[in-house]
Amino acid sequence: MHNDSADNSDTSNHFDPTTPRRLSTLVISSSGNPLLYSNSFNSPSSSKSNAGKKYVRQVTGRHKDTELHLAARHGNVVAIRQIINMINEQIEGTLSSADFDAEVEEIRSAIVNDVNELGETALFIAADKGHLDVVKELMQYASPEGISSKNYMGFDPLHIASNHGHLAIVQLLLEHDPELINTISPSNKATPLISAATKGHTDVVDQLLSHDLRQLELSRSNGKNALHLAARQGHADVVKLLLEKDPQLARRTDKKGQTALHMAVKGVSCEVVKLILCADAAIVMLPDKFGNTALHVATGKKRVEIVNELLLLPDTNVNALTRNHKTALDIAEALPASEEILQIKGSLVHYGAIKANDLNQPRDEVIRKTVTQIRRDVRTQLEQTRKTNRNVNGLAMELRKLHTEGIKNATNSVTVIAVLFATVAFAAIFTVPGGDEDTGVAVTVGTIPFDIFFIFNAIALFTSLAVVLVQITLVRGGTKSEMRVVKVTNKLMWLASVCTSIAFISASYIVVGRHRKWAAMVVTIVGGVIMVGVLGTMTYYVLKSKYGLRARKKKRKFLRGSNSGSETELERSSIYAI
């Protein structure tokens, strides 16, 4: 509220500290322009309420600044202290000692937190102008709300200090309240980091990121982050710092689909372009929402040096098309003739650039030929693969046949020889050297040579029969019907072998006579052990094979349904025919 100087002077002259409760106003002034504080509720309508009390403001200038605003704007810390200290002097004697400190604190806070018509506090103005001493002085009396108070543009003291690169003030504010870093401008969603990066204040950017690295993830309302804006303005040091903190930042896009490289080529700093490409060279081919790559944008902006830098990259497609069906050369042709355009067109043509109209027809023809050739090659390759598979399968079958035939021949040979041994051994018991007596007892019985002949002849018979049993039991190959016949034959052979063994043992008792029964008993034990051992072992493996076959059948049915497999699978899975 504006007051007449005469009224103010009169009020000042009638100040009487001996009448504390009857005084209606306090005069606080350092230059003759009074700032009045009233304990009355009947203050003028322009007064501002403060916890049931009101103070009358003396303002000046086009923004209606108070004396404190003016002192902060000029960095006059002496005047700031003088204004604050005068509160003690003028309020002394008006209150009891118990209420004095609280009242002084309240008045100081109200004065320090007061704003001009732009919504700026004295602390905001000091942070804006970079007056560190003033900021330190005012922060002693400002409330948390006053420190984080935003002006009408949506900036608070930390934001405005970051925007102007006042590092010491930024550090001071963050040390006082680290949460201030999360302030966002309501108009465009800009953060202190984005503002500092846009203006190129590298030290402030580093300071902000050291407090909270997550600030890199934040962007303005248009999707542009700190790297976008630093790259657009050509601040190489800031770009380098941001990419060191997060190299993936180079691939972030704004709402137009533009990367930081798109923004960098709009500027004039080739160094910034190189820094971004060093972080991720592949982004040179990323298009925005309109299909523009960095080469299209740089050509449109007539950035000769940047165009030449992009053309050096192997990933650059010099004939990439925008959504408007234009190449970089089309864009250059559409621009007014100039020295820069002539240089860009020469560089583009040197690297094989052509117009979109010249590109389409040959390109379509090449694509058709390429697709036809690929189809032909694929068909040829598939046919060759099928032939190879057939040949391999045929060779495998032939090898299996040869292998099976060889095993069968070897088995047959072994079986024939074993039968021959068994025949000779069985016949030898009845044609004992030296002849037999009328009772059938051998003439040479009781001699050592006869005992040796008798025992080893019996071992030869029983081992030969055991070999025959094993060979006829094992089956390698054959169809299912043939296996049924073989199984019946094998059972008969088992029976014949057992009967031959019993006949031989019985004959041995006759040949050795009554007095040499111990020899026949030895033969009986040897033959019994061999035959029972072989028969028992073979029986165990036969049963084990059958149970295993049943288990495999059940598993196949469970996995494949009701399919039990072909005859060939069954006969290969079984190696015993009994």
Side-chain angles (χ1 to χ4, degrees):
M1 173 180 176
H2 292 275
N3 298 304
D4 294 335
S5 58
D7 294 340
N8 294 336
S9 176
D10 182 66
T11 304
S12 179
N13 293 336
H14 286 81
F15 179 89
D16 186 359
T18 61
T19 57
R21 284 303 184 185
R22 299 179 62 183
L23 184 66
S24 62
T25 60
L26 295 173
V27 181
I28 302 173
S29 176
S30 63
S31 61
N33 292 324
L35 177 64
L36 304 180
Y37 183 91
S38 175
N39 289 321
S40 170
F41 286 97
N42 299 320
S43 297
S45 60
S46 62
S47 299
K48 294 200 173 183
S49 174
N50 185 43
K53 301 180 178 61
K54 299 183 179 181
Y55 66 91
V56 182
R57 306 166 61 244
Q58 174 65 44
V59 296
T60 184
R62 61 175 181 172
H63 298 312
K64 296 184 179 180
D65 292 327
T66 66
E67 285 191 343
L68 201 64
H69 286 92
L70 295 175
R73 193 179 302 279
H74 292 91
N76 192 342
V77 68
V78 175
I80 295 288
R81 290 170 183 164
Q82 190 175 8
I83 294 171
I84 297 298
N85 291 334
M86 285 183 67
I87 297 174
N88 294 21
E89 299 172 6
Q90 296 191 37
I91 200 173
E92 186 175 356
T94 63
L95 296 171
S96 63
S97 60
D99 297 331
F100 181 80
D101 292 339
E103 189 74 10
V104 170
E105 183 69 24
E106 190 175 1
I107 295 172
R108 283 174 175 171
S109 179
I111 293 173
V112 171
N113 293 336
D114 196 12
V115 298
N116 61 14
E117 68 175 2
L118 298 180
E120 300 170 339
T121 63
L123 176 62
F124 179 93
I125 293 174
D128 183 19
K129 299 299 181 180
H131 301 315
L132 177 61
D133 292 339
V134 175
V135 171
K136 288 181 179 180
E137 187 68 27
L138 292 174
M139 283 182 66
Q140 300 178 50
Y141 312 108
S143 65
E145 293 78 10
I147 294 176
S148 61
S149 175
K150 291 182 171 62
N151 70 350
Y152 292 161
M153 296 295 293
F155 294 106
D156 60 15
L158 175 66
H159 205 145
I160 200 67
S162 301
N163 187 64
H164 290 305
H166 302 317
L167 176 62
I169 296 177
V170 170
Q171 290 174 330
L172 181 64
L173 291 169
L174 287 176
E175 288 172 2
H176 179 78
D177 184 5
E179 291 300 319
L180 290 174
I181 199 172
N182 295 318
T183 181
I184 296 177
S185 172
S187 58
N188 58 10
K189 305 299 181 184
T191 64
L193 176 67
I194 290 176
S195 296
T198 304
K199 293 299 182 67
H201 303 308
T202 309
D203 50 356
V204 175
V205 170
D206 192 26
Q207 179 68 29
L208 293 169
L209 290 177
S210 66
H211 275 77
D212 187 2
L213 195 60
R214 295 173 300 177
Q215 295 293 314
L216 285 173
E217 304 294 330
L218 302 180
S219 60
R220 292 176 54 175
S221 54
N222 58 7
K224 289 180 171 57
N225 55 35
L227 182 62
H228 281 99
L229 297 167
R232 179 65 181 88
Q233 298 301 322
H235 300 310
D237 291 339
V238 176
V239 169
K240 182 178 180 180
L241 175 62
L242 294 174
L243 289 174
E244 286 175 353
K245 298 293 184 180
D246 184 7
Q248 292 300 318
L249 207 59
R251 283 188 171 264
R252 304 284 173 80
T253 59
D254 61 12
K255 291 186 176 180
K256 293 182 179 180
Q258 297 174 318
T259 64
L261 183 61
H262 285 94
M263 303 300 295
V265 299
K266 293 179 182 179
V268 296
S269 176
C270 192
E271 182 183 358
V272 170
V273 173
K274 291 178 180 179
L275 286 171
I276 297 174
L277 291 174
C278 285
D280 189 353
I283 64 173
V284 72
M285 284 310 301
L286 292 181
D288 61 14
K289 288 175 61 177
F290 307 102
N292 295 306
T293 65
L295 183 62
H296 292 108
V297 177
T299 301
K301 292 291 183 178
K302 298 188 289 187
R303 310 300 188 207
V304 179
E305 185 180 4
I306 294 175
V307 168
N308 290 331
E309 185 67 30
L310 296 176
L311 290 173
L312 293 174
L313 298 173
D315 292 327
T316 300
N317 182 1
V318 71
N319 291 318
L321 293 173
T322 67
R323 287 196 173 183
N324 293 332
H325 208 66
K326 291 183 179 180
T327 64
L329 187 59
D330 289 317
I331 294 175
E333 291 284 352
L335 294 173
S338 64
E339 183 178 352
E340 293 86 356
I341 290 300
L342 290 177
Q343 292 181 25
I344 290 174
K345 287 167 64 176
S347 298
L348 291 172
V349 172
H350 176 73
Y351 281 91
I354 58 178
K355 295 182 180 180
N357 292 335
D358 300 331
L359 179 67
N360 287 339
Q361 185 60 36
R363 181 169 176 263
D364 293 342
E365 186 65 26
V366 169
I367 290 175
R368 283 195 294 272
K369 290 182 179 179
T370 302
V371 171
T372 302
Q373 184 62 36
I374 289 174
R375 288 176 178 172
R376 188 181 298 112
D377 291 344
V378 169
R379 283 197 296 268
T380 303
Q381 189 66 34
L382 290 175
E383 184 63 28
Q384 187 65 34
T385 301
R386 283 194 290 268
K387 289 181 179 178
T388 302
N389 288 338
R390 285 196 296 268
N391 292 337
V392 170
N393 291 335
L395 289 173
M397 291 179 64
E398 289 296 327
L399 289 174
R400 283 197 295 270
K401 287 181 180 179
L402 292 174
H403 183 66
T404 303
E405 289 297 326
I407 292 176
K408 285 183 177 180
N409 292 335
T411 301
N412 292 336
S413 299
V414 171
T415 304
V416 169
I417 294 171
V419 169
L420 179 60
F421 275 118
T423 303
V424 171
F426 190 83
I429 197 66
F430 298 106
T431 57
V432 180
D436 299 324
E437 297 179 358
D438 294 338
T439 59
V441 178
V443 174
T444 58
V445 68
T447 64
I448 291 177
F450 176 81
D451 293 338
I452 294 173
F453 161 77
F454 183 71
I455 292 173
F456 282 94
N457 182 68
I459 293 173
L461 173 71
F462 293 126
T463 53
S464 299
L465 290 176
V467 171
V468 173
L469 285 176
V470 173
Q471 293 293 350
I472 65 175
T473 303
L474 292 175
V475 176
R476 300 169 182 85
T479 62
K480 192 173 182 180
S481 57
E482 290 175 342
M483 286 185 66
R484 293 195 185 100
V485 175
V486 173
K487 285 180 180 180
V488 174
T489 305
N490 287 347
K491 290 174 182 176
L492 294 175
M493 287 296 294
W494 276 43
L495 179 61
S497 298
V498 172
C499 292
T500 302
S501 300
I502 294 173
F504 183 86
I505 292 172
S506 300
S508 65
Y509 280 93
I510 298 173
V511 172
V512 299
R514 186 181 303 172
H515 301 288
R516 305 290 291 180
K517 283 186 177 181
W518 64 269
M521 293 176 66
V522 171
V523 169
T524 303
I525 293 172
V526 171
V529 169
I530 293 174
M531 297 305 294
V532 171
V534 172
L535 292 173
T537 302
M538 294 306 297
T539 302
Y540 167 75
Y541 283 112
V542 168
L543 294 176
K544 181 179 178 181
S545 176
K546 287 186 176 183
Y547 286 130
L549 182 59
R550 287 178 187 173
R552 287 194 295 273
K553 284 182 180 179
K554 290 180 180 179
K555 187 175 181 180
R556 279 199 300 270
K557 286 181 180 180
F558 176 74
L559 296 175
R560 302 179 184 176
S562 59
N563 246 341
S564 60
S566 64
E567 276 191 15
T568 305
E569 290 174 345
L570 287 175
E571 64 191 41
R572 287 179 184 172
S573 63
S574 176
I575 63 170
Y576 303 107
I578 191 168

